Structure formats: structure tokens, C-alpha cells
Amino acid sequence: MLKIDALPAFSDNYIWLVQDTEQRCCAVVDPGDAAPVLAWLAANPGWQLRDILITHHHADHVGGVAALKAATGARVSGPANERIPQRDQALADGDAIEVLGLKFQVIDVPGHTLGHIAYYQPDQHWLFCGDSLFAAGCGRLFEGTPEQMHRSLSRLAALPGKTAVYCTHEYTLSNLRFACAVEPENPALIQRQQEVIAWREAGQISLPSSIDLERATNPFLRCEQASVRAAVEAHSGQAAASETGVFAGLRAWKDNF
């Protein structure tokens, strides 16, 4: 049996812990801090950390890699086009990697960083997307262009609707506040905001999301919608020439929201 738990790190990061409960082995995604993972292993004797999956090079995603590899000998896999500490396997678009008996597909999603990748498991319908796609939002463009990020998000949005979206930050409420400013009359968005407020007040995390839910409520995946285009044009005072232009206007608006 396979299951996924979130190990909180820093103020709002999640390290995703994928577990094979029969074999008592596990993998982690984007361990920015080794301590939560080592604490879990200490509390669950007999378990083996076999794999460390990395989506991009930022410190809050790779900071715990060296210590975890030293402690467990786990294989480290990450993007070929970024400097990943202790990396054993370099991955690029279209590659496949077997983790805990499952084959994950590698998808290039440049934008947040130039070499950012995502891991998609089609049988379990899991997507580990780092800081590319967020619940109701997307990552800042620290290295890439709006064109790159819009293309990346469009690839993720084309995955099956029931795909579970495991991003790595608890940004959902702040993202929903912005989304409601863009589409204040979107009923699915209003309902989602109410649900997430209740979850967070109860101490529950807001993840994973799903591709279906993101298509319905995430403005960055809705650049083709007339309501989103109209909101961006009203905010910027300029016409958007394309869906990429709508995305660029959304990202600039969100950066200063």
C-alpha cells in the first residue's frame, strides 16, 4: 500500500513523504530541511529512505539533501539543467524514473527557475510540481519568462482532471484572495475559499489540490477565460494581445497584490 504524508518545514513548506507501507521504504520530495525527515525516520524504526526527488535548486527545496544522503544513502534525482547537491541521477523532459516500484514521468516546467521539473505518476494520478503550479496560483518568475511559465502550466493543466497536485507551499489562502480579486463572481472559487478558510482554522492543510479544481479556480490556468482577460485589462489599463499576455498581466498584478 502506498500513501503520502506532508512533513511541515520552515514556515510554509511541505516535504512530501511517499511511503510503501508493505516494504517499509519511502521517498521524499524537495527536502529543504533534513530534520523533519530524520525525525520521522527515528519515530518509525525499520523504515528505509530510498529516494530523494528534487524539482529545482532553491535552498528551501535542497537544503536537507546532503544530510539525508549521508544518513541514509538514498538516491538523489533532480533536474539535469540545475546544480543539485549530491545528485545521482540527472533528469530531463520525457525521462522516466522508477521510485518505490512506480514509474514517474518527468516534465520540464521552466518559469520559476529555468531547469524546474515536475514528476507525474499516471497510475496513481500524482503530480509533484514544486514551485511551478500552486493551489490557486503559480510560482514567481525568478529566472524564466511569462511565455515559458504559461507553456509549463498549460502542460500541467492538460493532465487528467483527477490528478492530485502536490505543490510545496501552504500559499493557498493568499492565492485565493488574489483569485477572488480577479474573478469575484466565480462560484467555484467562492466555495473553495470558504472550504480552505475552514480547513486552516481547523489546523488542516489545504493540499493536495487537483487539476480539475485548478482549472476551475486558478486564474493562471484560466487565461483563456473572458472574465480573466477583462480583469487583467481593467487592472493594467492595456489590452492583452494573447493568452500569454493575460498571464503576464496576472503575474505582474499578483507580484504587487
Side-chain angles (χ1 to χ4, degrees), residues 65-73:
V65 170
L68 288 174
K69 185 172 179 61
T72 68

Side-chain angles (χ1 to χ4, degrees), residues 12-247:
D12 53 33
N13 281 65
Y14 294 128
I15 301 166
W16 295 110
L17 176 72
V18 186
Q19 303 146 68
D20 182 333
T21 57
E22 291 184 1
Q23 300 296 322
R24 295 177 68 80
C25 55
C26 58
V28 291
V29 183
D30 286 346
D33 185 2
V37 182
L38 293 173
W40 188 91
L41 290 170
N44 293 272
W47 280 73
Q48 179 188 10
L49 178 65
R50 289 189 178 173
D51 279 282
I52 299 170
L53 301 180
I54 302 298
T55 62
H56 66 292
H57 67 84
H58 285 164
D60 64 324
H61 294 251
V62 303
V65 170
L68 288 174
K69 185 172 179 61
T72 68
R75 177 182 59 170
V76 179
S77 303
N81 295 325
E82 296 192 354
R83 294 181 64 182
I84 305 300
Q86 307 290 316
R87 185 182 60 201
D88 298 301
Q89 185 162 352
L91 299 170
D93 191 54
D95 287 345
I97 180 172
E98 186 168 318
V99 178
L100 304 181
L102 297 173
K103 284 191 176 181
F104 285 80
Q105 299 171 7
V106 177
I107 305 172
D108 275 349
V109 285
H112 182 67
T113 67
L114 288 177
H116 201 304
I117 62 174
Y119 299 87
Y120 172 58
Q121 213 301 311
D123 300 315
Q124 300 291 328
H125 302 288
W126 294 340
L127 174 67
F128 296 104
C129 52
D131 287 358
S132 54
L133 173 63
F134 286 136
C138 74
R140 288 178 178 265
L141 305 184
F142 287 120
E143 299 176 13
T145 65
E147 291 80 7
Q148 287 175 313
M149 185 62 114
H150 182 245
R151 189 181 310 117
S152 296
L153 295 180
S154 296
R155 292 188 71 184
L156 300 183
L159 294 173
K162 62 182 176 181
T163 301
V165 176
Y166 292 92
C167 54
T168 46
H169 288 277
E170 185 58 71
Y171 291 165
T172 313
L173 271 183
S174 61
N175 287 340
L176 286 169
R177 283 192 288 270
F178 174 71
C180 286
V182 177
E183 290 191 283
E185 297 182 2
N186 180 337
L189 182 54
I190 295 168
Q191 178 182 352
R192 184 179 188 185
Q193 186 180 43
Q194 293 171 343
E195 289 176 345
V196 173
I197 288 172
W199 291 343
R200 298 302 292 151
E201 288 179 347
Q204 301 175 27
I205 71 172
S206 65
L207 300 171
S209 178
S210 71
I211 292 296
D212 265 345
L213 185 56
E214 295 309 312
R215 289 174 187 155
T217 60
N218 187 331
F220 294 99
L221 267 57
R222 295 172 56 78
C223 295
E224 82 287 356
Q225 296 293 321
S227 56
V228 175
R229 176 184 288 269
V232 168
E233 292 178 341
H235 177 77
S236 66
Q238 299 178 344
S242 63
E243 288 184 19
T244 298
V246 174
F247 175 85

